[in-house]
């Protein structure tokens, strides 16, 4: 991601890429086919999808050839897993845990509602630019116009982050529920989140996309640790 872009624009770019496969293709992401990996992922995911009340045959799993740690869902029932995630994972439970989390997004219908929220934030950002520009021209104070633009962006960013964090919390809870229903440990999610925990301190240009599209926090890691302690399958 370009470090020079405005904070809201950077956030919108990351979220749009995560929830629109056609845009991902346009950004040069390449997809691969591997029968053995695909079959393994089907074995991992089928019990999870069933626990989520989803039809395993209706969900398409795509492999993105990219070394970064990333996974997302888009277009309703499409799940995208990056090869970097598969290679970095030290245990199948990490991959299964991530798939359970993404299944939570699908079951919750989050792709449609997040797209709507992003569109609303985009409109709010555009309005803040127009109003800020108008204020600057009308008053002759460019600094005043810039302040209005900044304030409008700040409101849009905070609103969008509250929304995405709410969805991530919902998907976290769903993942734990699906793992328990399939008698699997949430340990993989703890390990995966701890791998990503250092990413939050990096510049957005250096972060793995999962961090930008799946906001991390110590609270989320603590939630998974408590789930691990409480799990009869830990």
């Amino acid at each position: 991601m370009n470090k020079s872009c405005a904070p809201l624009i950077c956030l919108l770019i990351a979220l749009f890429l995560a929830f629109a496969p056609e845009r991902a293709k346009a950004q040069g992401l390449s997809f691969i086919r591997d029968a053995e990996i695909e079959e393994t992922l089907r074995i991992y995911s089928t019990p999870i999808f069933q626990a989520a009340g989803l039809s395993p045959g209706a969900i398409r799993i795509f492999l993105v050839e990219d070394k970064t740690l990333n996974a997302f869902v888009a277009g309703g029932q499409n799940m995208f897993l990056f090869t970097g995630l598969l290679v970095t994972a030290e245990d199948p439970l990490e991959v299964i845990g991530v798939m359970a989390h993404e299944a939570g997004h699908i079951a919750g219908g989050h792709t449609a509602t997040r797209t709507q929220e992003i569109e609303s934030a985009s409109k709010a950002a555009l309005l803040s630019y127009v109003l800020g520009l108008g204020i600057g021209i009308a008053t002759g104070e460019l600094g005043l116009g810039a302040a209005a633009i900044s304030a409008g962006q700040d409101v849009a960013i905070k609103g969008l982050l509250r929304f995405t964090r709410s969805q991530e919390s919902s998907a976290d809870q769903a993942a734990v529920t699906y793992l328990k229903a399939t008698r699997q440990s949430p340990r993989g999610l703890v390990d995966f989140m701890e791998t990503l925990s250092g990413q939050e301190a990096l510049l957005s240009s250096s972060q793995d996309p999962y961090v930008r599209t799946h906001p991390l926090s110590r609270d989320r890691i603590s939630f998974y640790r408590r789930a691990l302690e409480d799990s009869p399958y830990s």
Side-chain angles (χ1 to χ4, degrees):
M1 183 179 296
N2 191 331
K3 287 185 289 186
S4 65
C5 63
L8 178 60
I9 303 303
C10 289
L11 181 61
L12 292 175
I13 290 173
L15 290 170
F16 259 93
L17 287 179
F19 284 87
E22 64 279 4
R23 290 188 177 93
K25 292 179 181 178
Q27 291 295 315
L29 296 183
S30 60
F31 298 88
I32 65 171
R33 298 299 305 273
D34 185 293
E36 184 176 356
I37 294 176
E38 290 171 4
E39 177 62 21
T40 299
L41 292 175
R42 278 294 170 189
I43 293 172
Y44 289 170
S45 64
T46 293
I48 294 294
F49 293 156
Q50 290 173 335
L54 303 170
S55 172
I59 299 176
R60 303 173 65 193
I61 299 176
F62 296 87
L63 296 176
V64 180
E65 188 176 17
D66 193 292
K67 65 181 181 180
T68 54
L69 299 177
N70 201 9
F72 60 86
V73 294
Q77 295 190 320
N78 299 307
M79 184 178 294
F80 298 77
L81 301 176
F82 281 44
T83 53
L85 165 65
L86 304 181
V87 171
T88 303
E90 297 182 356
D91 189 290
L93 286 174
E94 292 188 47
V95 178
I96 293 170
V98 170
M99 296 179 82
H101 175 89
E102 299 303 330
H105 283 306
I106 295 176
H110 292 172
T111 57
T113 54
R114 187 172 292 197
T115 297
Q116 293 171 0
E117 193 70 17
I118 291 171
E119 290 175 351
S120 296
S122 298
K123 292 176 181 177
L126 178 60
L127 181 60
S128 72
Y129 274 114
V130 173
L131 291 176
L133 182 61
I135 291 172
I137 293 174
T139 63
E141 296 288 341
L142 296 181
L144 189 60
I149 292 173
S150 178
Q153 282 201 347
D154 185 58
V155 170
I157 288 173
K158 289 180 178 178
L160 187 57
L161 286 178
R162 280 195 299 269
F163 180 81
T164 57
R165 285 167 182 164
S166 175
Q167 286 196 336
E168 294 310 318
S169 177
S170 174
D172 287 343
Q173 294 176 36
V176 171
T177 298
Y178 305 155
L179 291 170
K180 184 176 182 179
T182 55
R183 300 185 178 185
Q184 299 186 86
S185 172
R187 176 172 54 83
L189 278 168
V190 174
D191 294 341
F192 179 72
M193 286 296 181
E194 289 181 341
T195 298
L196 290 174
S197 63
Q199 289 282 324
E200 284 187 298
L202 299 178
L203 293 173
S204 61
S205 60
S206 303
Q207 290 175 338
D208 278 304
Y210 200 97
V211 178
R212 298 197 298 270
T213 58
H214 295 67
L216 289 170
S217 71
R218 299 309 304 176
D219 289 341
R220 291 186 68 199
I221 296 176
S222 296
F223 169 77
Y224 281 133
R225 284 177 177 165
R226 289 194 300 272
L228 177 61
E229 293 173 358
D230 295 340
S231 173
Y233 312 110
S234 60

